[in-house]
Amino acid sequence: MMANYQELVKYIVDHLVTIPDQVEITTEVNDRGIVMVLIKVASEDVGRVIGKRGATINAIRLVAKAAAVKENERVEVDIEAD
């Protein structure tokens, strides 16, 4: 059973941004079996999700990867910039 990375990432991102209504999280499994999680937020919230020197997005990736280890899966988290 695949962990719900979409819900996990959405929960974290919703609490970081100023406009949670514009948070969109999509997931798909690529041809190599890696779960790809894509974050879309309002343009003014992109910096909040990335953080200083990428610290925040890297922390989100770490949490998702920790959940994936338990499920023996591979997951990658990225943010879509407009």
Side-chain angles (χ1 to χ4, degrees):
M1 190 199 102
M2 188 167 85
N4 197 339
Y5 306 110
Q6 196 165 347
E7 285 297 313
L8 175 66
V9 173
K10 181 159 177 43
Y11 178 82
I12 297 167
V13 173
D14 276 351
H15 288 79
L16 291 171
V17 298
T18 55
I19 313 170
D21 292 351
Q22 287 195 30
V23 173
E24 274 182 54
I25 312 291
T26 55
T27 55
E28 62 180 49
V29 180
N30 72 11
D31 54 0
R32 295 188 327 233
I34 299 171
V35 181
M36 305 298 292
V37 181
L38 189 62
I39 302 168
K40 276 176 80 173
V41 295
S43 54
E44 57 263 44
D45 282 329
V46 171
R48 287 173 175 274
V49 177
I50 294 173
K52 282 197 175 86
R53 292 190 298 278
T56 307
I57 190 71
N58 285 339
I60 295 169
R61 287 177 177 137
L62 198 65
V63 170
K65 281 188 165 89
V69 165
K70 191 172 164 225
E71 301 290 333
N72 204 14
E73 294 173 335
R74 290 179 58 203
V75 65
E76 286 184 18
V77 178
D78 220 340
I79 184 160
E80 187 174 291
D82 284 339

